[in-house]
Amino acid sequence: MPKLVAICNQKGGVGKTSTAVSMASCIAIEGRKTLLVDLDPQGNATSGVGIDKSQVQKSVYDALLESAPIQELILQTQIPNLHLIPSNQDLSGAEVELVGELGREGRLRKALASLDPSFDVAIIDCPPSFGLLTINALTAANSVIIPIQCEYYALEGLSQLMKTINLIKDNLNPTLEIEGIVMTMADYRTKLTQEVIDEVRKHFGPKVYHTVIPRNIRLSEAPGFGKPIFLYDKDSEGAKKYKDLTKEFILSNATYLYKKSYDKSEESQLSITT
């Protein structure tokens, strides 16, 4: 299985989708076979990598409803090594349709269990809510990255998110861990930004990534052009910071990714030999 990471925060507008798209793109550019799973009915991660969500025939909705195998849902994006399971408006009805289904919380985990083992990392972009879709993401994931905006109410709702994560650990996914917390939309022209960063670091210590994502106009513009920041403006400050963040992620998962590379090499040698 690939490393499954959910990007999650119930608050909207915190840079969640930008983080999912940018990290998935950068991991792929670093040579790792990466899957981006768009689990948000708004489909912003889908359009953010250049896929027209209105033209999507099969989406993550079909995986949750078990109407299509996962292999039929995966699309190649404009970045080599980056693949997508898209979302579209069909997903907005999934929670209602699944409400009476047995094992509804584990539908995504069940679908992703049949992924091609050559994938190294899967990034799941969650919706900004605590509904069944987010529960599916957290039940499937190995870990969760939490983007927090550098604003006055940064910690508001975070305690509820932690309670939800602990409930998922206790009842559905005992191996779920906090991968890290990333501070986003930092504006160092204000004193508040540094105060918020200091407060979050005080509460969560080493779980907070060193890299802080700034407010950056190029990051805001990129989704409108259907391009990850590394294709839209790779020299922008936003691109540089997401590259630094991805390096932190890769370094913290070096043992796992090295083992994946070793296993692939062994499989390749075996196929050549046989």
Side-chain angles (χ1 to χ4, degrees), residues 160-188:
Q160 182 58 49
L161 176 57
M162 293 302 176
K163 286 179 183 177
T164 301
I165 290 171
N166 286 329
L167 281 171
I168 297 293
K169 284 189 69 170
D170 291 342
N171 297 284
L172 297 167
N173 183 4
T175 62
L176 181 65
E177 299 292 342
I178 303 294
E179 182 78 31
I181 294 171
V182 55
M183 304 302 301
T184 63
M185 301 183 181
D187 183 354
Y188 286 104

Side-chain angles (χ1 to χ4, degrees), residues 1-4 112 115-117 119-122 142 256 260:
M1 285 288 289
K3 172 88 175 186
L4 299 170
L112 294 177
L115 270 178
D116 186 326
F119 279 104
D120 295 302
V121 179
N142 302 118
Y256 174 82
K260 285 285 291 183

Side-chain angles (χ1 to χ4, degrees), residues 32 248-260:
R32 298 291 179 176
E248 283 194 64
F249 171 80
I250 290 174
L251 184 61
S252 67
N253 288 280
T255 302
Y256 174 82
L257 293 174
Y258 174 80
K259 185 178 184 304
K260 285 285 291 183

